[in-house]
Amino acid sequence: ATLGVTMAIGFGIAYGSLFVDKSSPELHVKKISTLRALDLQWLYLALLILGKTITLLNFVPVTYKKGLQGNIRSNPFFYEVVGENDDENKKEEMPMIAYKNDGPIGMYNRSNRSVQHMVENSGGFLAAIGPVGWLFPKQTLAVVVTFCVGRVVHQKGYANGYGSHAMGFVLSLLSILTLEGLSLIAFLKGEGYM
């Protein structure tokens, strides 16, 4: 359900962006004709599927963190100390190791977590910039600028503490969703559904 809602949001923003663009309609029609003639609309559908798969794969691990206490959201991994009696039958409970969260080291950890977050989520986005940008160059420029601003705001906010990164997260997420929406529009126009 979440993937469907996010796809609808991205499609809505992308569709609305077409009305703001004052480019030559003839050029747009020519590009769609080229896309259709070369049967490339399927590439745009593939980009949408790639983006949604990356989103799904990134949200699944979060479900396993339910019930954990404290500020554990910035921790992509948890470690435990290995004891001397660490066989299956005699395993003793050892402390869990997480990222240090306070002071300059905590800021460093969260700032690097922001970089990891960008890498984890942007594969489909980066793959779509060229193909979508060829068809919708002005929209793609706006989306890329918004994504970049969002990632900087995310990192600066995350370094300050959990929660301060929310605006950056929203900007970068909406950018990804909009580019996916433009991919869907390209597919639909290429197939003659729009």
Side-chain angles (χ1 to χ4, degrees):
T2 302
L3 290 179
V5 170
T6 59
M7 191 162 62
I9 291 169
F11 181 83
I13 295 170
Y15 189 71
S17 76
L18 299 179
F19 295 101
V20 176
D21 187 1
K22 302 298 180 194
S23 297
S24 162
E26 298 81 27
L27 178 60
H28 190 254
V29 168
K30 188 183 288 188
K31 285 181 179 182
I32 293 294
S33 296
T34 301
L35 184 117
R36 189 176 295 143
L38 296 173
D39 207 23
L40 289 175
Q41 65 273 20
W42 300 104
L43 168 67
Y44 292 86
L45 182 59
L47 290 169
L48 175 65
I49 291 168
L50 174 64
K52 289 301 171 197
T53 301
I54 289 170
T55 299
L56 176 68
L57 292 175
N58 274 288
F59 278 103
V60 166
V62 174
T63 62
Y64 302 123
K65 286 186 174 183
K66 286 185 180 176
L68 295 178
Q69 301 297 315
N71 182 13
I72 48 87
R73 299 207 40 147
S74 63
N75 285 279
F77 303 102
F78 295 95
Y79 302 95
E80 67 180 353
V81 176
V82 177
E84 289 181 28
N85 299 324
D86 209 31
D87 65 34
E88 290 300 316
N89 298 325
K90 298 180 186 174
K91 189 166 181 149
E92 61 184 88
E93 189 67 30
M94 299 301 280
M96 184 169 52
I97 308 298
Y99 283 161
K100 184 170 175 53
N101 199 35
D102 56 345
I105 293 174
M107 293 176 78
Y108 174 83
N109 285 339
R110 288 188 306 277
S111 183
N112 273 315
R113 180 62 187 120
S114 178
V115 173
Q116 290 172 331
H117 185 269
M118 181 186 76
V119 171
E120 292 166 355
N121 288 286
S122 62
F125 180 82
L126 297 173
I129 290 173
V132 173
W134 175 78
L135 195 55
F136 305 111
K138 292 176 183 167
Q139 290 88 341
T140 301
L141 172 62
V143 163
V144 168
V145 168
T146 303
F147 178 83
C148 293
V149 168
R151 292 315 311 171
V152 170
V153 170
H154 185 276
Q155 186 178 52
K156 290 295 212 181
Y158 219 1
N160 289 328
Y162 183 77
S164 302
H165 68 296
M167 180 55 71
F169 175 78
V170 168
L171 289 173
S172 58
L173 177 62
L174 289 176
S175 300
I176 291 170
L177 296 176
T178 302
L179 207 60
E180 289 174 355
L182 290 167
S183 292
L184 179 57
I185 289 170
F187 170 72
L188 294 173
K189 284 182 175 274
E191 277 294 293
Y193 296 130
M194 287 183 78

